[in-house]
């Protein structure tokens, strides 16, 4: 995902506002409060009747160069010489603009007529989309505000990692958004053939209250976190990527030089947990040997991870701006060589490499291969849940919903089509130039294109070629296909949860307290007290819900 510059953990810290807004503003009054407060379970295998029928990709789409292990997407190392048209008719009726809210990471793009990219795509759509592009780092706050005020746009993008944190989100969906089941279920989706190419698993996850409520944007890789390192700088120091926890620590000490303004690490705690094989399923749950659920806070692996991360902080190996929580731009720290290791989403990799190799000759960022702290087989967190969901405002009327879905269908055209090319790269000669290896964004393209239409669409997931970084696709898929073999098995696969409101509300305070412990503001000995408080503030209630769900499913 191109906008992977933020992480689920970042959103977790921010989501406290949105939880309060959604629950406190009377958003969901009268919508099944009792069930929502205590949580709810949805069996995804029972939803076949509301899912769209699968349809073929447009004729002429090229065969992938690299075939991957699902849920990692296939990849292309070169652009096709000829693109095909996926949508014959202009989707919009030329009426009132469609309002949309989407996230973006980085400088805000120009809006309206000041953005030639939007003008070019809207001309093809027929009915223009007017975007309210919000800062991805504070998107949770804006999302909470619009939900709390019941003031949603025609199209609303909700990132997948955000859904699990919003209290009573299932009730919000029912109250505010259009039920898309009559428009898309079964053969009805044939009116929107690009949507019919999306994976069935993504559609299953787009159901709430046993109805199809959103268009999913399928993921092209299942991993929420990767540990990146400055390969060029470690190479100059005659060092390679660490292959063990001891090597990670030793490398961190070797490269940290306060006099030169260089430290080893960003906050890499999620990756440290993964190295220790702490659980990640359903945001941190697994089953004990007796079959009862336990959360990662309660495990020895999490405690060991916390001890190791606290050591990195205590030894001064983490950049001081990160320690002080002053909103340090860790991406900029990595780019400038002020830190050499950074935890982020896979989407950070290619855009950073493409940009910085033009700034710093020899710049090279790469992922550290996954390892296990105690040796043996590593554990990879991950799932195949969609990147984001596109919701349609409730009450717009049948004709307007159909027009909006036609627009979303156009935006969902797959790789190898003219529609995809315009959506991704804008107009030739303006937002991109076309060289022998394919389209390359211009400076104007980087300024104007911030994935606006990507975040109101779905698409058949692939990893597309990047002429500026020709090694990216094979390198990224080599890492992903090696790592996916160690993907953690989710005991609750096929079950979708609306977690208890009390549990959701208790997550942010618990995370904040743990962050204080890691940074040395509180002693490690207080971790037990934090876990006890977490259990009282909804943890045990969540455990009961998860255990009952397995029992009801006969597992």
């Amino acid at each position: 995902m191109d906008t992977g510059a933020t992480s689920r953990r970042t959103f977790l810290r921010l989501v406290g506002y949105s939880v309060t807004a959604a629950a406190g503003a009377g958003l969901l009054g009268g919508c099944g409060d009792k069930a929502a407060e205590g949580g709810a379970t949805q069996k995804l295998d029972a939803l076949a009747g509301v899912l769209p029928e699968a349809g073929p990709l447009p004729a002429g789409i090229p065969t992938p160069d690299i075939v991957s292990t699902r849920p990692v997407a296939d990849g292309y190392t070169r652009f096709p010489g000829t693109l095909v048209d996926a949508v014959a008719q202009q989707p919009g009726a030329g009426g009132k603009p469609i309002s949309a809210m989407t996230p973006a990471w980085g400088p805000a793009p120009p809006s309206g007529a000041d953005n030639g990219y939007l003008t070019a795509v809207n001309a093809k759509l027929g009915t223009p989309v007017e975007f309210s592009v919000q800062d991805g780092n504070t998107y949770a706050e804006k999302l909470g505000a619009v939900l709390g005020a019941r003031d949603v746009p025609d199209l609303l993008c909700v990132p997948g990692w955000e859904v699990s944190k919003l209290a009573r989100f299932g009730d919000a969906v029912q109250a505010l958004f259009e039920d898309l089941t009559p428009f898309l279920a079964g053969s009805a989706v044939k009116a929107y053939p690009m949507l019919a190419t999306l994976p069935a698993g993504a559609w299953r996850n787009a159901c709430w209250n046993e109805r199809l409520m959103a268009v999913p944007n399928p993921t092209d890789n299942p991993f929420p976190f990767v540990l990146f390192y400055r390969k060029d700088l470690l190479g100059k120091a005659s060092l390679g990527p660490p292959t063990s926890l001891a090597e990670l620590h030793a490398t961190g000490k070797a490269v940290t030089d306060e006099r030169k303004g260089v430290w080893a690490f960003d906050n890499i705690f999620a990756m440290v947990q993964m190295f220790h094989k702490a659980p990640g399923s359903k945001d941190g749950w697994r089953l004990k040997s007796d079959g009862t659920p336990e959360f990662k806070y309660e495990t020895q692996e999490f405690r060991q991870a916390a001890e190791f991360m606290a050591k990195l902080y205590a030894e001064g190996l983490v950049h001081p701006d990160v320690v002080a929580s002053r909103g340090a731009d860790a991406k900029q720290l990595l780019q400038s060589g002020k830190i050499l290791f950074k935890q982020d989403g896979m989407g950070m990799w290619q855009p950073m490499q493409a940009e910085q190799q033009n700034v710093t000759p020899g710049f090279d960022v790469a992922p550290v291969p996954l390892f296990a702290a105690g040796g043996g087989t590593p554990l990879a967190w991950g799932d195949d849940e969609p990147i984001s969901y596109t919701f349609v405002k409730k009450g717009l009327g049948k004709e307007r919903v159909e027009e909006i879905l036609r627009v979303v269908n156009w935006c969902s055209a797959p790789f190898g089509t003219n529609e995809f090319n315009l959506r991704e790269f804008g107009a030739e000669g303006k937002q991109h130039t076309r060289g022998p290896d394919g389209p390359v964004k211009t400076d104007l393209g980087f300024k104007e294109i911030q994935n606006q239409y990507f975040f109101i669409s779905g698409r058949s997931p692939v990893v597309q070629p990047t002429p500026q970084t020709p090694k990216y696709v094979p390198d990224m898929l080599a890492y992903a296909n090696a790592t996916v073999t160690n993907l953690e098995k989710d005991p609750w696969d096929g079950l979708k949860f609306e977690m208890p409101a009390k549990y959701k509300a208790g997550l942010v305070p618990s995370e904040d307290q743990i962050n204080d412990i890691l940074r040395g503001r509180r002693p490690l000995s207080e971790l037990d007290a934090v876990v006890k408080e977490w259990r009282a503030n909804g943890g045990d209630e969540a455990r009961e819900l998860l255990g009952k769900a397995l029992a009801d499913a006969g597992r």
Side-chain angles (χ1 to χ4, degrees):
M1 155 182 180
D2 290 341
T3 52
T6 191
S7 71
R8 300 183 185 204
R9 187 159 300 282
T10 301
F11 273 81
L12 182 59
R13 290 196 293 269
L14 292 168
V15 81
Y17 173 83
S18 57
V19 169
T20 302
L27 170 65
L28 307 173
C31 294
D33 292 352
K34 183 176 180 181
E37 289 293 341
T41 304
Q42 183 172 261
K43 295 181 180 179
L44 300 182
D45 291 338
L47 300 176
V50 303
L51 301 184
E53 288 182 3
L57 291 168
I61 296 295
T63 302
D65 299 307
I66 300 174
V67 177
S68 294
T69 301
R70 298 292 179 263
V72 177
D74 296 338
Y76 292 85
T77 59
R78 59 189 182 277
F79 280 93
T82 302
L83 302 175
V84 302
D85 290 324
V87 182
Q89 301 295 322
Q90 188 177 67
K96 179 182 176 183
I98 298 168
S99 60
M101 188 176 105
T102 60
W105 289 261
S111 59
D114 293 329
N115 189 315
Y117 164 68
L118 299 182
T119 300
V121 178
N122 283 337
K124 290 291 186 180
L125 295 178
T127 298
V129 179
E130 293 184 348
F131 288 93
S132 173
V133 178
Q134 302 295 322
D135 182 358
N137 292 313
T138 56
Y139 196 70
E141 297 179 14
K142 184 64 177 180
L143 185 61
V146 299
L147 292 175
R150 296 177 178 245
D151 184 21
V152 297
D154 298 333
L155 289 173
L156 180 66
C157 170
V158 180
W161 57 88
E162 191 67 26
V163 170
S164 64
K165 309 303 187 299
L166 286 166
R168 300 163 63 190
F169 185 69
D171 285 350
V173 168
Q174 183 175 346
L176 299 178
F177 302 117
E178 188 72 31
D179 180 358
L180 301 180
T181 311
F183 300 92
L184 298 175
S187 62
V189 78
K190 291 181 180 180
Y192 315 98
M194 297 305 99
L195 299 184
T197 68
L198 307 188
W203 283 116
R204 292 198 316 168
N205 279 289
C207 294
W208 277 266
N209 308 308
E210 300 185 351
R211 303 295 289 174
L212 187 59
M213 300 301 297
V215 174
N217 197 337
T219 185
D220 55 18
N221 81 85
F223 312 113
F225 299 106
V226 179
L227 182 61
F228 291 100
Y229 74 107
R230 283 291 300 273
K231 185 176 181 179
D232 53 328
L233 296 182
L234 279 191
K236 289 178 181 179
S238 299
L239 296 169
T243 60
S244 68
L245 211 60
E247 284 186 14
L248 180 66
H249 181 234
T251 302
K253 293 183 70 173
V255 301
T256 298
D257 190 335
E258 186 173 350
R259 293 171 300 176
K260 294 181 179 179
V262 176
W263 285 264
F265 302 113
D266 175 28
N267 176 20
I268 61 169
F269 186 44
M271 288 303 306
V272 171
Q273 292 177 64
M274 211 181 304
F275 292 147
H276 282 88
K277 302 174 74 166
S281 296
K282 295 293 182 286
D283 292 323
W285 289 91
R286 72 180 180 192
L287 296 179
K288 295 192 294 185
S289 58
D290 63 1
T292 58
E294 67 174 349
F295 193 58
K296 62 182 181 179
Y297 292 172
E298 304 169 293
T299 69
Q300 186 62 28
E301 293 91 339
F302 181 85
R303 180 177 294 275
Q304 291 169 346
E307 291 172 351
F308 182 82
M309 192 69 220
K311 181 169 70 171
L312 299 185
Y313 277 109
E315 293 180 357
L317 305 182
V318 179
H319 195 283
D321 286 356
V322 176
V323 178
S325 299
R326 292 198 297 260
D329 187 345
K331 281 213 308 178
Q332 179 57 41
L333 294 175
L334 184 68
Q335 291 169 179
S336 61
K338 300 300 182 183
I339 60 174
L340 272 68
F341 292 89
K342 178 175 177 3
Q343 167 188 293
D344 212 314
M346 188 74 80
M348 185 201 83
W349 188 356
Q350 192 278 331
M352 179 181 287
Q353 180 65 40
E355 179 183 10
Q356 292 304 309
Q357 66 189 13
N358 296 325
V359 177
T360 305
F363 182 93
D364 195 3
V365 65
V368 175
L370 192 63
F371 59 82
T377 303
L379 176 76
W381 290 356
D383 56 56
D384 63 349
E385 294 179 7
I387 295 168
S388 59
Y389 300 92
T390 299
F391 293 91
V392 178
K393 183 178 181 178
K394 193 172 188 176
L396 297 177
K398 181 175 182 290
E399 289 187 4
R400 179 64 164 176
V401 173
E402 289 174 343
E403 179 185 31
I404 288 173
L405 287 176
R406 290 196 301 270
V407 167
V408 173
N409 177 71
W410 188 99
C411 294
S412 302
F415 175 81
T417 65
N418 284 300
E419 294 85 354
F420 179 96
N421 202 65
L422 181 59
R423 191 200 78 191
E424 288 289 300
F425 300 103
E428 185 174 356
K430 295 181 179 179
Q431 287 82 30
H432 80 272
T433 59
R434 189 169 183 93
D437 297 322
V440 177
K441 283 184 184 177
T442 62
D443 290 342
L444 180 64
F446 280 112
K447 178 182 178 181
E448 294 185 338
I449 302 173
Q450 288 283 0
N451 292 301
Q452 294 96 319
Y453 297 94
F454 172 89
F455 273 121
I456 60 166
S457 72
R459 80 279 181 268
S460 183
V462 298
V463 182
Q464 63 172 299
T466 57
Q468 294 158 303
T469 52
K471 297 195 308 177
Y472 169 71
V473 172
D475 287 354
M476 179 271 197
L477 289 178
Y479 171 89
N481 284 309
T483 305
V484 77
T485 60
N486 299 310
L487 200 63
E488 180 181 22
K489 289 180 172 57
D490 180 0
W492 294 274
D493 185 42
L495 299 174
K496 183 174 182 176
F497 296 97
E498 175 77 22
M499 298 300 280
K502 185 179 179 181
Y503 168 77
K504 291 185 178 184
L507 281 174
V508 172
S510 297
E511 289 286 320
D512 288 344
Q513 293 178 73
I514 289 170
N515 282 329
D516 284 342
I517 290 173
L518 299 180
R519 287 165 170 79
R521 298 170 191 149
R522 300 174 61 175
L524 269 167
S525 59
E526 292 191 11
L527 185 57
D528 288 337
V530 172
V531 175
K532 183 178 180 180
E533 185 176 344
W534 166 85
R535 290 186 59 182
N537 290 335
D540 284 340
E541 192 174 344
R543 188 193 330 278
E544 182 179 353
L545 172 69
L546 293 169
K548 184 176 185 301
L550 288 181
D552 291 346
R555 299 187 190 177

